Amino acid sequence: ETGVTQTPRHLVMGMTNKKSLKCEQHLGHNAMYWYKQSAKKPLELMFVYSLEERVENNSVPSRFSPECPNSSHLFLHLHTLQPEDSALYLCASSQDPPGGSYEQYFGPGTRLTVT
Amino acid sequence: GESVGLHLPTLSVQEGDNSIINCAYSNSASDYFIWYKQESGKGPQFIIDIRSNMDKRQGQRVTVLLNKTVKHLSLQIAATQPGDSAVYFCAESPPLMDSSYKLIFGSGTRLLVRP
């Protein structure tokens, strides 16, 4: 595997379900991100992990719970979601300073539908 | 607040013509800008970047222009091809914050290439 991978690629869940999204980066980066992409909206940054510590949480509802067990893996745990949470969830990674760059490498995303 | 926006939500061009996609940014202190391309069913992919100490940078068939006076960024695609059909996002990076890089994305422009 190369780059940034995400599983599953598609997920349909009911509002009472609990599911998790997985992201893995094979680039040796030390920072990982979760974004939400809805129709006709800019990419919304949800969480940032740098060196496995959460450094940003952009007022995301508690029904979204991130987990970063190591620098290569990132999870997004979902529970009691709402239909408006249906979106494409993108994971990205980058190399933070020192010696890094601003470029973020994205995975293909998980298309989530909440019924 | 900080924001990055695009002037045209959809741009339709004839195959072989040049395309110009525009972007306005609001943070005059941003020192790095990046263009991403997102094809259907895929995550955003890096196209080209530019630092604030430059006003032009060229890649293969693409050129990014930066006008700091009016806080405007543009992406020029020469000899547009059907494979260029995608959504294009600009992103800006404010000065390094909290030892982390951060990108703020615009809302995106859809480029349609007519055969």
Side-chain angles (χ1 to χ4, degrees):
Chain A
E1 293 278 11
T2 58
V4 181
T5 58
Q6 290 186 244
T7 55
R9 293 295 309 276
H10 300 272
L11 178 63
V12 179
M13 59 185 290
M15 290 190 285
T16 58
N17 291 159
K18 290 184 180 181
K19 297 286 184 183
S20 295
L21 309 185
K22 179 183 175 182
C23 175
E24 185 173 359
Q25 60 95 0
H26 311 267
L27 301 167
H29 289 163
N30 59 10
M32 297 187 76
Y33 310 77
W34 278 118
Y35 287 90
K36 177 183 178 182
Q37 187 175 39
S38 307
K40 301 179 182 178
K41 281 189 178 181
L43 279 167
E44 298 175 72
L45 180 63
M46 300 175 72
F47 302 103
V48 181
Y49 277 82
S50 179
L51 299 174
E52 300 156 41
E53 290 189 13
R54 193 188 311 181
V55 297
E56 187 150 348
N57 177 347
N58 277 0
S59 302
V60 179
S62 59
R63 56 186 184 269
F64 295 92
S65 175
E67 178 190 1
C68 187
N70 55 62
S71 60
S72 299
H73 293 86
L74 186 65
F75 294 90
L76 188 62
H77 303 300
L78 317 171
H79 65 96
T80 58
L81 294 191
Q82 304 298 311
E84 60 265 29
D85 296 322
S86 298
L88 181 69
Y89 288 84
L90 289 160
C91 173
S93 71
S94 69
Q95 184 65 22
D96 266 3
S101 83
Y102 294 95
E103 184 181 349
Q104 293 178 16
Y105 294 76
F106 284 84
T110 294
R111 173 67 63 185
L112 174 67
T113 303
V114 181
T115 60
Chain B
E2 298 172 336
S3 67
V4 178
L6 295 173
H7 296 165
L8 298 172
T10 303
L11 177 65
S12 180
V13 299
Q14 189 72 38
E15 181 179 355
D17 287 352
N18 297 334
S19 302
I20 300 176
I21 301 172
N22 297 302
C23 175
Y25 64 94
S26 62
N27 191 334
S28 58
S30 289
D31 55 7
Y32 179 83
F33 305 87
I34 192 168
W35 281 99
Y36 280 93
K37 171 186 180 183
Q38 187 174 21
E39 297 175 271
S40 180
K42 297 183 179 180
Q45 294 178 289
F46 171 88
I47 301 174
I48 192 168
D49 58 3
I50 189 168
R51 293 196 175 275
S52 59
N53 60 353
M54 304 171 67
D55 53 20
K56 181 179 180 179
R57 190 168 187 215
Q58 288 186 294
Q60 187 176 16
R61 282 202 306 118
V62 295
T63 301
V64 56
L65 299 177
L66 175 62
N67 185 332
K68 293 181 288 293
T69 302
V70 294
K71 293 186 287 187
H72 184 268
L73 193 69
S74 68
L75 176 70
Q76 300 179 358
I77 304 174
T80 312
Q81 301 170 359
D84 295 326
S85 293
V87 177
Y88 290 80
F89 296 93
C90 66
E92 64 175 311
S93 185
L96 196 61
M97 297 163 51
D98 301 323
S99 301
S100 264
Y101 295 114
K102 177 179 176 179
L103 291 177
I104 301 170
F105 287 85
S107 55
T109 292
R110 181 174 300 280
L111 177 64
L112 300 175
V113 182
R114 304 188 303 272

